[in-house]
Structures are given as C-alpha cells and as structure tokens.
Amino acid sequence: MTNYTLADLEQAKAGLAAWNKRFDDYSGNNPDKYQADIKSARARVREIEFALKADGAIPKSEHETLENMLDRIFPNARSKEIVEYEGQKYQRRFTPLERSRSRKSVTVWDKSWVKLQD
C-alpha cells in the first residue's frame, strides 16, 4: 500500500472538484465529456481515503470500525446474508457505487453491513 498524506487527499479532492467544474461549465452537446476523468478522480479520492483510514491518519467512525470487524469475521458473506455478532444481527448489503457510461451495468460495488431490528 502506498503511503499517502492528508495533503495528497486534499490535492485529489481539488482535482475532482476541478473536473466537476469543467463538466458543469461545459456547454457542448456531449454528455459524456470529462466523465472518464471524473471517474478516475473519484477512484483516486476513494483509494487515498481508504489508505489513510487504514494507516490511522484519518479516524474511522464507529460504524466503519464495526464494518471492518464484521468483514474480518465474515469475509465470505454473500449479499443479503444475515450474521450474528455480539448478540446483534447484521445483513450484508451490496449497492452500486459506479455504473458504466450506458448506466446498464455496475462497474464498482459498495459493500456495507446493516444492523437488523429484532
């Protein structure tokens, strides 16, 4: 894993904001203009945030800490699978994080754990 700094994160966020501004200011007839650059910038921000949280440079929330623990205990949990941890039930969920240009297929999935009510 590459060592990132908070300055790298700020730089990546500034780059993403610059690409979003270019897209917002674009008055042409191409709706896909700058989308590849925006997608790359988003992925870079996610990668740097993940690395900084893993190194402890950015504190994790309680929910993120719990999700990391559940991921370690149940690494092969499938979508909608229900597990029990410390007397509570949690369900694995997958949601689309990024879609293809045609919006027909998912290119990146986000995984999370949802606490179920008894």
Side-chain angles (χ1 to χ4, degrees), residues 6-20 41-42 44-46 48-49 52 58:
L6 293 174
D8 293 332
L9 179 59
E10 291 305 316
Q11 185 179 16
K13 285 182 177 180
L16 176 58
W19 282 115
N20 281 326
R42 280 187 193 138
R44 180 152 174 79
V45 169
R46 279 195 307 268
I48 293 172
E49 280 183 341
L52 289 174
I58 297 177

Side-chain angles (χ1 to χ4, degrees), residues 39 96 98-109:
K39 186 177 180 179
E98 234 173 65
R99 294 183 180 271
S100 65
R101 283 183 18 169
S102 67
R103 312 280 300 153
K104 291 182 181 178
S105 61
V106 177
T107 57
V108 179
W109 289 94

